[in-house]
Amino acid sequence: METSEPLAVVVGATGALGGAIVRRLRSRGVPVLAVARSAGSLDALSADDSGVVGCAADIGDDGAQQAIADGLTVWDAPVGMVVQAAGLPAVGGLDVVEPAALGAAVALKVGGMLRLVRAADPWLAEGSRLVALGGHYGAEPSPHVPGAGVTNAALANLVRQLADAYGPRGITAHLVAPGPADTDRLRRLSADRAAARGVDVEDILAERCAESPLGALVTPEQVGWAVATLLDPEASALTGSTLALDMGARRGL
């Protein structure tokens, strides 16, 4: 597929947050190379939109780098944005998490971001954006979610390094860090936690909402809006920084 328009590469494109990002980018007319592990889910995503092309790859595996590069070679267009939005597996609380699972989570998110950037590097140009989707618990640690906390803190560090390394080329790096998002995954995890505590799932969800002064969860649409906004030229001022979408839950200054 050939286009003169800069495209976006979105990893985790079939997830709740990744899907919202794809939809928001497409609403701005941005072509998308959608990356996910399941070819079937990618077919469904691109069936009604010729501006979305699927690329089946597991970003946790080194082979994903070549798969994405091959997809970009076929598309033959400059890359204006890459987004690492792959979700983390549930690893349990600090009292039960397997130590190796923490390393695996970092390898998926942090290593995956590096694979993505390296795959797209030949197509990046001045004004391109390198975007990682992190999370609230990277800055507000909680023993309930050690995997998310450790991984997203490491991801923030990598984004800062990418900002320094790619800045001389006019390329910026950004971390978007949502708070708990209103998705089916959150509800499944909340149901498991509710069962362990012997309470109703709505009680667990209410606790998550109570972390915010607004008493609300972040929506996937709000995450998609934030990522797409980084395409604006003015967003270069945000390079290396974290864009917190936590409904005011973060307590640190």
Side-chain angles (χ1 to χ4, degrees), residues 105-156:
V106 173
L108 173 64
K109 288 284 281 190
V110 182
M113 181 63 179
L114 198 54
R115 293 183 186 99
L116 172 60
V117 172
R118 287 177 175 173
D121 188 280
W123 291 272
L124 298 174
E126 184 174 358
S128 294
R129 309 296 194 217
L130 314 177
V131 183
L133 204 63
H136 165 69
Y137 294 114
E140 294 286 329
S142 167
H144 299 303
V145 282
V150 169
T151 303
N152 291 324
L155 198 56

Side-chain angles (χ1 to χ4, degrees), residues 39 64 66 70 92 141 160 164 166-168 180 196 204 214 224 230:
Q66 187 60 54
D70 290 345
R160 179 67 260 181
D164 288 346
Y166 280 83
I204 301 298
L214 297 176
L230 293 174

